[in-house]
Amino acid sequence: MADYEAVDDVIETVAAVAPDVRAGLPGRRLTEAGVENPSGETVTAADVHADELFFEALGAIDGVVEFASEEREAAVDVADGTAGEDGLAVAIDPLDGSSNLASNNAMGTIVGVADAPLPAAGTDLVAAAYVLYGPITTMTVAREGTVTTYVIDGGEMTAVEEDVELPDEPVVYGFGGRVPDWPDAFHDYAREVESELKLRYGGAMVGDVNQVLSYGGIFAYPALDSAPNGKLRLQFEGAPIAKIIEAAGGASSDGERSLLSVEPTDLHQRVPVHVGTAEYVERLEAALAD
Ligand code: AHG
Ligand code: MN
Ligand code: MN
Ligand code: MN
């Protein structure tokens, strides 16, 4: 089993690196890295910068033996020979919503921590966190079943909310993909939700999920007719976000089961993502089962 002291080191290191990620954004506003990532997506210079900063810092932590990123084909062995194979693996989306940089909208970083080796099921995550680069930089962390939100200022992390829970009354929804590409059952479900909640969709999962955590409601990037497994990646987006939302009293689903129970088969596997207020997740599963 891993040394769980190192989990604190991972969380603190993410907080310490976040300001450097933010500082690197202005100079990389419109620059592409000219490469594609394992998901076949265009990689921006900001993606590469964030990935390298987190690789450097997280790979140097005693007790972290594996580093995997949305931007890298395979997990990297970062054991320094002392920890051997026993140790923590970190799965990271270094810059989530990086296409929002050109339009100066919110972006984030998503991190999952598990015993090595990856890929890991969400149930095996020992911690999950996201950083939100919004008007201020915040970090939301799920550990041992509870969620804490921190403000990050100059690399210092200050807890501002403990035992975070989704509000009882849901208010917002945000659904990704193009409407004509939604399967009929999701389309019908979306029509119902639209008549009940307010639309909040910003195009970066972390920003949209943080709205759901703050106000209650549902975020989904569903299965599409053109992409039956949706767009988001289980290891780097779906599982860590589900860990946080479920620890905050919400629910998650791939359409049939909790995202935490989805069998990990490939480091970059995609999964339909629905997270938020349990009532809306249950209604979604019923709509898709019909
Ligand atoms: P990333 O920038 O890490 O590749 O993630 C982008 C994802 C996610 O942040 C967001 O929910 C989704 O892409 C938005 O997709 P659309 O642009 O299709 O709405
Ligand atoms: Mn990407
Ligand atoms: Mn992402
Ligand atoms: Mn990303």
Side-chain angles (χ1 to χ4, degrees), residues 2-97:
D3 154 20
Y4 290 142
E5 291 299 303
V7 178
D8 292 331
D9 296 341
V10 169
I11 300 300
E12 284 156 23
T13 300
V14 170
V17 169
D20 299 337
V21 171
R22 198 170 184 120
L25 296 176
R28 294 173 175 82
R29 258 191 75 239
L30 301 174
T31 332
E32 291 199 359
V35 292
E36 280 199 349
N37 70 8
S39 301
E41 290 168 352
T42 308
V43 178
T44 69
D47 284 316
V48 172
H49 183 236
D51 182 58
E52 286 170 356
L53 287 174
F54 284 115
F55 175 68
E56 234 18 72
L58 294 169
I61 295 173
D62 246 357
V64 172
V65 297
E66 194 172 300
F67 177 93
S69 157
E70 168 192 305
E71 312 303 353
R72 295 170 188 246
E73 189 62 49
V76 181
D77 178 345
V78 292
D80 59 4
T82 55
E85 281 322 298
D86 260 3
L88 292 177
V90 176
I92 190 166
D93 178 356
L95 196 59
D96 173 66

